[in-house]
Amino acid sequence: MKRLAIDAVVFDLLTALLDSWSVWNRAAGSEDDGLRWRRAYLELTYGCGAYRPYEDLVREAAVVAGVTTSSADALAAHWNTLRPWPEVPAVLGDLNARGIRLGVVTNCSITLGRQAAERVGVPFSVVVTSEETGYYKPQPQSYRAALDRLGTDPARTLFVAGSPADIPGAAGVGMPVFWHNRAGLPFVADTARPLLIADTLHPLGELV
């Protein structure tokens, strides 16, 4: 695998780096309810574009999914139990040691986004939330905000997607994309194609 000329790596936070699925499932009471609730939330998020309070969307999605609205309170209460995927500390620690700047972009509120970033256990140069930019991914504003704060060229800033929606979103502003497809979702060709798809972050060390 040929290494890319990369100055920075920006990650989706809640899927590419953290196992947020388990927290949603626990708050919902079961894996099936958690998956249905999360899918409803994603539909609302991608549909609204401009930022509406994250907590409101989570609660609305619970109603749509037929999950008790108290699950939204449980999700907030369990937020500080978020854990990084097992290989995250080593992979990001190696990138950091090599002088590659790290950032995250997340569809989240400022408060929850910063709390979640701290759960990764690795320092980030930038943490960008949708509340700050006023738009949810895959709208371009959040990706551009990360690039502006890092001061890096899009072509030399790799984006690590956690969901397929991030692929055209990040590629649309000129960033190469690696899809950390932990769930093994099928790739549906869109206007953009990732450089690499893997169910672990380990290949990132060979790509960058």
Side-chain angles (χ1 to χ4, degrees):
M1 186 185 305
K2 183 179 179 181
R3 286 189 182 272
L4 301 174
I6 291 295
D7 299 318
V9 180
V10 178
F11 298 84
D12 166 68
L13 177 60
L14 296 175
T15 306
L17 291 179
L18 295 170
D19 176 14
S20 61
W21 304 332
S22 295
V23 180
W24 281 72
N25 293 347
R26 188 159 64 252
S30 74
E31 185 173 339
D32 287 344
D33 285 347
L35 178 60
R36 193 170 65 254
W37 179 23
R38 189 177 179 90
R39 283 176 173 167
Y41 156 76
L42 290 173
E43 288 183 12
L44 289 172
T45 303
Y46 297 153
C48 74
Y51 185 82
R52 291 176 51 217
Y54 174 81
E55 293 82 355
D56 290 353
L57 292 184
V58 168
R59 195 171 295 277
E60 289 175 25
V63 174
V64 172
V67 175
T68 174
T69 54
S70 64
S71 296
D73 297 324
L75 181 65
H78 294 156
W79 200 253
N80 280 327
T81 67
L82 285 164
R83 290 179 176 272
W85 300 112
E87 73 275 18
V88 165
V91 173
L92 270 64
D94 175 65
L95 294 174
N96 191 47
R98 288 163 49 199
I100 295 172
R101 301 180 70 193
L102 307 176
V104 294
V105 176
T106 181
N107 279 348
C108 201
S109 66
I110 295 171
T111 299
L112 294 181
R114 290 176 179 170
Q115 288 177 3
E118 290 178 0
R119 298 294 299 171
V120 179
V122 175
F124 294 104
S125 296
V126 297
V127 175
V128 177
T129 67
S130 292
E131 183 177 4
E132 294 170 82
T133 64
Y135 290 88
Y136 281 107
K137 299 182 297 173
Q139 298 294 320
Q141 288 83 357
S142 293
Y143 308 104
R144 288 175 179 156
L147 292 168
D148 288 344
R149 294 183 193 181
L150 287 167
T152 52
D153 186 290
R156 294 180 63 92
T157 308
L158 180 69
F159 189 84
V160 179
S163 66
D166 268 323
I167 299 170
V173 300
M175 302 170 77
V177 180
F178 164 47
W179 182 17
H180 178 201
N181 184 13
R182 200 85 185 190
L185 299 174
F187 175 66
V188 178
D190 203 321
T191 54
R193 185 175 293 273
L195 295 172
L196 184 67
I197 302 173
D199 61 2
T200 172
L201 281 174
H202 285 301
L204 188 57
E206 302 173 24
L207 188 61
V208 177

